[in-house]
Amino acid sequence: MDADDDVPLILTWDEANSGLLNEETERGDENGGGGNYDIVNNAVISTPGPQIHRAQNVSLRQSWEMNYQEAAIYLQEGENNDKFFTHPRNPKALAAYLFAHNHLFYMMELLTGLLLMMLSLCEAPAVPSLRLDVYVHATLELLALVMVAFELCMKLRWLGFHTFIRHKRTMVKTCVLLLQFVEAIVVLIRQTSHVRVTRALRPIFLVDCRYCGAVRRNLRQIFQSLPPFIDILLLLLFFMVIFAILGFCLFSPNKADPYFKTLEDSLVSLFVLLTTANFPDVMMPSYSKNRWSCVFFIVYLSIELYFIMNLLLAVVFDTFNDVEKMKFKSLLLHKRSAIDHAFQLLVSRQRPMGVSLKQFDGLMRFYRPRMSARDRFLTYKALNTSGAPMLSLQDFYKFYEVTGLKWKVRSPDIYLILCPFGLYSSTFSVVLRGNVIKLFLVTADVVVAINGVWILVETYTLNSGFSWSRFVPWSYIVFLTIYGVEVLLKLTGLGPMAYFSSGWNLFDFSVTVFAFLGLIALAFDMEPFYFIVVLRPFQLLRLFKIKQRYRNVLDTMFELFPRMASLGLTLIIFYYSFAIVGMEFFADVVYPNCCNTSTVADSYRQINMTYGNRTVLEEGYYYLNNFNNILSSFVTLFELTVVNNWYITMEGVTSMTGHYSRLYFMTFYIVTMVVMTIIVAFILDAFVFRMNYSRKNREPLENPEDENGIVFEVEVSRDEALATLELYKQTCPGLSSLSSLQGVLQAMDKSGHLSLVYLGRRSRTKSDLSMKMYEEEIQEWYAEYSRENLPQPDQSLECDSPISDMPPFPEHQLNSQTGPHSIN
């Protein structure tokens, strides 16, 4: 039978016969009696009837298109989720799924979440310059909430009611939506705001956005680390209470000691002492009476600060390691499960053991719609390492490794650019390749070192009256020219794609561009931009990559930037929630000359003092640390995070409100301590992981800048390119993407070669490092997965069976690993 007549092994979304859906009765009811759908011009069209009726009325091409679409959805879910419960159940669910899974919808979610959070700038207490009328901001809030309700309706349509109510995050979002909706209507009717602490829950709408997946992962890790954290925290508080009672008994008789007058004062003083913000002030009154009292504080700090706090970090770090490893295992096996699902949807009944180029191309048109025909073909070639006519399941397991590659024709290496006079030949190529590259890199490092020394000498000789606007240093132009030539040589030799795939090259390029902008600022006397000139010394960081240990540290730092950004956003979300609560209870509480009855009154005092003939305004600036609007609240919370003198802000607010206000500040400290401990644990884990990886994989590299890249090499012959072009013309006639394949042939004609070598590059990720680190354990995980989820040999499909007798793919293979709530 011709390949065009191949019948899919499984007909997707067919409840009667496919075996893909594990809740057949329920889904049959939802589908209205086992109907199916076709995809025509990206539209979902229902078609009634079981498989027999469908086979008579629907072409094989449409059946394959449906299989391609579902296989792509499985692979996307394998990449982005760790369960299959969001898999569409029926044609109506598919329509909602496709509508909700596109970047416009994701952007709408993001903008809606940001709008709801930014309304706090305009709502009372508002930033003075951004204040809006109640009617305006309440109307905007209602419109945003309507958009959130629309998003949830689409989610309900594709998930189904039973799955929708079992999804915890979605139900929390729904409850918050209803509460916010009622409050917004009340504000709109009353035309005035009331105490709305629930505004602190608005970040939930942003966190649920598709683009905030890293933030959700951080929050999950924080919650998973809470049990051991709480255990150690209780131990810490236990010792704090013991020492508070002891301190009250020892130091309360001293009337001059304001820190231990009552048991409450003792607890507060020791809590603040844990942050060292009031040390040694808290010790001095008792120390002045009895020098031996210092033993109390030394023992307390030794136990609480230096032992239990470090023990807390160790416990969280250990838990974090376990959570990271188990999460990696879960995602890895989920990806393998997704590949198994997709593979069974792509094989035909005539060829059930492999995926052809035709089927693979159909999959990629849905999985990566913007990928050119050439890149789809090269990706197939990269997977097909054995050169067989079809992709085996083992080949297909590498799917996620190659789909992110950026393909380009292999260009001459940089050393060829540096040897333009015919020195490069087959005789000297091996020697020149290593020597020229090493010479080039060493020369660049020497220039950077000389530039660093020159900057130090130049800065030392500057006098106080120096102004950058007077002249442009000649050294600036010389070194910038050298850096520019280096960048151009690397770009020419490596090509833009390969050049920018290296973090070090990207760093060099950024510093060089900023240095050029600084030169322009100096030359044209653009005073506001003189700060750019100060960035020149960052070029010296290149010297640290010479030593392996420094390279590991800096590589870890570069790898951490994306994750640190998500952790920073997580911290901002906590800030937002605490800022809203602070504004509701402490807005306009502190002001100049307040807190006169407090021990920190001097920090808020504003008074005119006369010194001879001069009158000077002496003021304590702590009244600026307030909760009068969202921006001031963020600054105040950041100061509380740093914990230096944070108790002054706490005591000032407490003196103007009540003793229970301290709970707000203490709770904030504990929460930020959890988040910051997770951040420290993450940095430690990344660095230790990197060091262990380097020890385990000591691979000599000619160029240290290439150690973070993943490179695949594929050779394409002219006959292969012609055959592939003809196949694409038959399967995808009229597609503009065929021009990329025609470009391959044109490049061969231009170069006079019968084949071209393409390089696929991408950056190395933490997942790649984990694959290498856990190499032996991964094989055990795969073996365990195969035993639990794959059919035994006697259950496998027989290739020689007639089509009519071909059994569907075993149901348990697709469903057993996804748990009771899986929807495949």
Side-chain angles (χ1 to χ4, degrees):
M1 182 179 290
D2 188 73
D4 291 338
D5 298 326
D6 280 0
V7 178
L9 178 65
I10 296 174
L11 295 179
T12 182
W13 281 295
D14 187 347
E15 295 85 335
N17 296 285
S18 71
L20 277 173
L21 303 176
N22 61 346
E23 298 178 9
E24 296 183 10
T25 304
E26 175 184 348
R27 299 183 191 186
D29 295 339
E30 291 182 4
N31 262 354
N36 304 291
Y37 75 92
D38 302 328
I39 298 177
V40 181
N41 296 327
N42 293 324
V44 181
I45 303 175
S46 299
T47 57
Q51 180 174 341
I52 297 176
H53 181 68
R54 171 182 168 180
Q56 297 172 349
N57 295 280
V58 181
S59 68
L60 288 177
R61 177 182 176 83
Q62 292 171 324
S63 299
W64 276 116
E65 290 294 305
M66 288 187 286
N67 277 29
Y68 299 153
Q69 176 117 24
E70 186 173 17
I73 290 175
Y74 271 121
L75 292 171
Q76 288 165 354
E77 290 174 336
E79 185 177 18
N80 301 315
N81 304 326
D82 59 356
K83 295 182 179 66
F84 290 122
F85 70 89
T86 60
H87 197 79
R89 298 174 169 222
N90 51 57
K92 293 181 180 179
L94 177 67
Y97 181 92
L98 295 177
F99 181 84
H101 285 74
N102 64 80
H103 289 287
L104 289 178
F105 191 86
Y106 300 155
M107 188 60 64
M108 182 182 70
E109 283 185 313
L110 178 64
L111 294 178
T112 302
L114 289 175
L115 174 61
L116 285 169
M117 292 183 65
M118 292 177 66
L119 284 176
S120 58
L121 295 168
C122 318
E123 300 167 327
V127 177
S129 59
L130 299 176
R131 189 184 305 275
L132 291 178
D133 185 73
V134 175
Y135 177 80
V136 176
H137 68 67
T139 302
L140 288 174
E141 182 178 3
L142 278 175
L143 290 175
L145 293 175
V146 168
M147 296 301 294
V148 174
F150 172 72
E151 296 165 7
L152 288 174
C153 288
M154 298 305 298
K155 198 168 187 177
L156 174 63
R157 188 175 179 82
W158 102 65
L159 286 180
F161 179 75
H162 295 292
T163 305
F164 184 89
I165 62 175
R166 289 198 297 263
H167 191 223
K168 296 178 182 178
R169 190 176 75 241
T170 301
M171 286 308 299
V172 170
K173 183 177 179 179
T174 303
C175 294
V176 173
L177 172 66
L178 294 175
L179 182 60
Q180 298 272 321
F181 207 94
V182 172
E183 286 200 333
I185 293 176
V186 171
V187 170
L188 196 60
I189 294 175
R190 295 178 66 240
Q191 289 293 298
T192 182
S193 294
H194 54 275
V195 177
R196 295 188 61 190
V197 182
T198 55
R199 289 189 299 160
L201 301 176
R202 284 177 178 173
I204 290 175
F205 301 122
L206 180 64
V207 169
D208 195 54
C209 170
R210 176 64 173 268
Y211 294 129
C212 293
V215 177
R216 291 196 298 272
R217 183 169 60 250
N218 294 334
L219 292 174
R220 278 196 299 268
Q221 289 178 332
I222 289 174
F223 291 134
Q224 289 169 342
S225 301
L226 277 182
F229 183 92
I230 292 174
D231 291 340
I232 304 300
L233 182 64
L234 291 176
L235 180 64
L236 184 144
L237 294 177
F238 171 78
F239 279 103
M240 186 181 294
V241 171
I242 296 299
F243 275 90
I245 296 173
L246 182 59
F248 172 71
C249 296
L250 290 175
F251 308 130
S252 60
N254 182 8
K255 302 302 181 184
D257 191 340
Y259 299 102
F260 295 92
K261 287 182 178 180
T262 64
L263 183 59
E264 179 187 352
D265 290 336
S266 299
L267 277 170
V268 173
S269 298
L270 292 182
F271 188 93
V272 176
L273 179 58
L274 183 64
T275 68
T276 69
N278 63 349
F279 190 78
D281 297 349
V282 68
M283 183 181 74
M284 300 317 292
S286 57
Y287 186 63
S288 64
K289 294 293 184 181
N290 187 338
R291 297 303 175 90
W292 286 102
S293 61
C294 66
V295 176
F296 171 86
F297 297 95
I298 292 173
V299 174
Y300 174 78
L301 287 174
S302 299
I303 294 175
E304 293 281 81
L305 181 62
Y306 296 114
F307 177 70
I308 297 183
M309 289 293 285
N310 287 320
L311 180 64
L312 184 67
L313 175 60
V315 170
V316 172
F317 177 63
D318 181 66
T319 305
F320 185 86
N321 274 337
D322 293 339
V323 169
E324 282 282 288
K325 186 174 181 179
M326 295 309 297
K327 188 66 176 178
F328 171 73
K329 176 183 176 181
S330 173
L331 292 176
L332 184 68
L333 296 183
H334 183 67
K335 285 182 177 180
R336 174 155 286 218
S337 175
I339 290 174
D340 284 333
H341 284 68
F343 186 83
Q344 293 301 323
L345 289 166
L346 295 176
V347 297
S348 66
R349 298 192 177 189
Q350 289 72 30
R351 300 171 181 83
M353 304 308 293
V355 175
S356 66
L357 173 60
K358 176 183 175 182
Q359 275 76 53
F360 182 81
D361 185 78
L363 163 71
M364 296 305 293
R365 283 189 283 107
F366 286 100
Y367 185 76
R368 289 283 190 270
R370 298 182 181 180
M371 182 180 284
S372 66
R374 184 203 69 173
D375 290 352
R376 297 198 298 267
F377 170 62
L378 292 174
T379 302
Y380 177 86
K381 288 275 292 179
L383 284 172
N384 191 10
T385 53
S386 62
M390 309 184 82
L391 291 178
S392 66
L393 181 58
Q394 292 301 318
D395 292 332
F396 204 58
Y397 279 145
K398 297 184 297 182
F399 180 84
Y400 291 109
E401 297 180 33
V402 301
T403 51
L405 296 173
K406 304 296 183 183
W407 294 96
K408 185 182 178 183
V409 179
R410 185 171 65 184
S411 57
D413 291 326
I414 187 170
Y415 67 93
L416 294 181
I417 304 299
L418 298 173
C419 300
F421 301 110
L423 296 177
Y424 176 75
S425 66
S426 58
T427 307
F428 300 104
S429 61
V430 177
V431 177
L432 283 177
R433 178 180 176 87
N435 292 340
V436 172
I437 289 179
K438 288 179 182 178
L439 178 62
F440 179 75
L441 295 175
V442 169
T443 303
D445 292 336
V446 170
V447 171
V448 172
I450 295 174
N451 187 21
V453 174
W454 193 273
I455 290 174
L456 289 174
V457 174
E458 193 177 61
T459 306
Y460 181 77
T461 57
L462 295 179
N463 56 49
S464 58
F466 176 82
S467 174
W468 278 110
S469 60
R470 292 182 182 178
F471 64 93
V472 178
W474 64 267
S475 59
Y476 196 142
I477 299 176
V478 171
F479 286 112
L480 180 58
T481 302
I482 295 174
Y483 294 148
V485 170
E486 179 199 10
V487 168
L488 290 177
L489 285 174
K490 286 187 174 181
L491 275 171
T492 306
L494 299 175
M497 188 180 301
Y499 178 82
F500 289 110
S501 65
S502 169
W504 282 110
N505 288 339
L506 190 61
F507 172 77
D508 291 344
F509 181 82
S510 302
V511 174
T512 304
V513 169
F514 276 115
F516 180 74
L517 294 177
L519 177 64
I520 294 176
L522 290 176
F524 293 94
D525 197 18
M526 302 167 63
E527 185 174 351
F529 299 96
Y530 288 165
F531 72 93
I532 298 177
V533 179
V534 184
L535 299 177
R536 283 192 302 162
F538 277 106
Q539 195 76 256
L540 300 176
L541 279 175
R542 291 178 47 173
L543 299 176
F544 287 95
K545 69 181 180 182
I546 298 174
K547 188 173 176 59
Q548 178 66 36
R549 185 175 298 276
Y550 290 139
R551 201 156 63 239
N552 287 333
V553 172
L554 293 174
D555 288 341
T556 302
M557 183 175 68
F558 289 140
E559 289 173 5
L560 285 177
F561 278 150
R563 185 69 183 273
M564 292 302 292
S566 67
L567 286 168
L569 182 56
T570 305
L571 191 60
I572 289 174
I573 286 173
F574 282 111
Y575 272 27
Y576 182 89
S577 298
F578 274 94
I580 293 295
V581 176
M583 288 191 300
E584 292 294 348
F585 292 107
F586 308 134
D588 300 319
V589 165
V590 294
Y591 47 85
N593 294 318
C594 70
C595 318
N596 292 325
T597 60
S598 172
T599 57
V600 296
D602 291 340
S603 300
Y604 292 86
R605 188 161 292 142
Q606 192 176 62
I607 187 171
N608 291 320
M609 300 295 293
T610 302
Y611 298 96
N613 297 326
R614 284 188 312 120
T615 300
V616 179
L617 177 64
E618 291 189 355
E619 59 178 336
Y621 295 102
Y622 276 83
Y623 67 89
L624 297 173
N625 298 333
N626 56 58
F627 294 89
N628 294 347
N629 58 65
I630 190 72
L631 298 182
S632 297
S633 300
F634 266 68
V635 174
T636 302
L637 292 174
F638 181 77
E639 293 179 4
L640 295 176
T641 303
V642 178
V643 303
N644 190 30
N645 286 341
W646 71 279
Y647 69 96
I648 296 179
T649 301
M650 178 180 70
E651 291 301 319
V653 172
T654 300
S655 67
M656 299 300 293
T657 53
H659 293 283
Y660 290 105
S661 300
R662 291 194 179 103
L663 293 176
Y664 170 85
F665 294 92
M666 292 180 177
T667 303
F668 175 77
Y669 172 76
I670 292 174
V671 170
T672 52
M673 183 170 63
V674 173
V675 178
M676 297 306 293
T677 303
I678 292 293
I679 292 176
V680 173
F682 175 74
I683 294 174
L684 286 174
D685 174 72
F687 180 73
V688 171
F689 186 91
R690 180 81 190 194
M691 295 301 293
N692 291 336
Y693 175 84
S694 298
R695 294 190 189 101
K696 185 175 181 179
N697 304 278
R698 297 185 180 275
E699 301 173 359
L701 294 169
E702 294 177 350
N703 184 357
E705 296 176 357
D706 292 336
E707 66 179 344
N708 287 328
I710 300 292
V711 181
F712 281 78
E713 184 175 299
V714 169
E715 184 175 2
V716 180
S717 66
R718 184 177 184 84
D719 293 339
E720 284 181 315
L722 286 171
T724 304
L725 183 60
E726 289 300 319
L727 173 65
Y728 279 24
K729 285 180 179 179
Q730 296 174 10
T731 56
C732 309
L735 287 182
S736 59
S737 61
L738 294 181
S739 60
S740 59
L741 270 176
Q742 294 169 346
V744 175
L745 295 171
Q746 293 171 0
M748 291 181 184
D749 295 336
K750 185 176 180 181
S751 63
H753 295 120
L754 296 178
S755 65
L756 288 177
V757 176
Y758 284 84
L759 296 181
R761 295 179 181 269
R762 65 175 175 84
S763 299
R764 179 174 286 144
T765 64
K766 175 71 180 298
S767 178
D768 296 315
L769 301 180
S770 299
M771 292 289 290
K772 196 76 172 177
M773 273 294 297
Y774 304 131
E775 203 167 9
E776 296 177 359
E777 294 172 88
I778 286 174
Q779 298 306 317
E780 297 177 2
W781 297 343
Y782 283 160
E784 178 185 354
Y785 164 81
S786 299
R787 288 194 301 270
E788 294 179 358
N789 300 291
L790 296 184
Q792 299 301 318
D794 57 345
Q795 295 175 310
S796 60
L797 297 173
E798 297 292 338
C799 298
D800 299 331
S801 299
I803 297 177
S804 59
D805 298 328
M806 180 67 65
F809 189 70
E811 180 178 328
H812 72 275
Q813 175 171 340
L814 296 179
N815 299 324
S816 60
Q817 75 274 19
T818 59
H821 303 317
S822 79
I823 300 173
N824 297 323

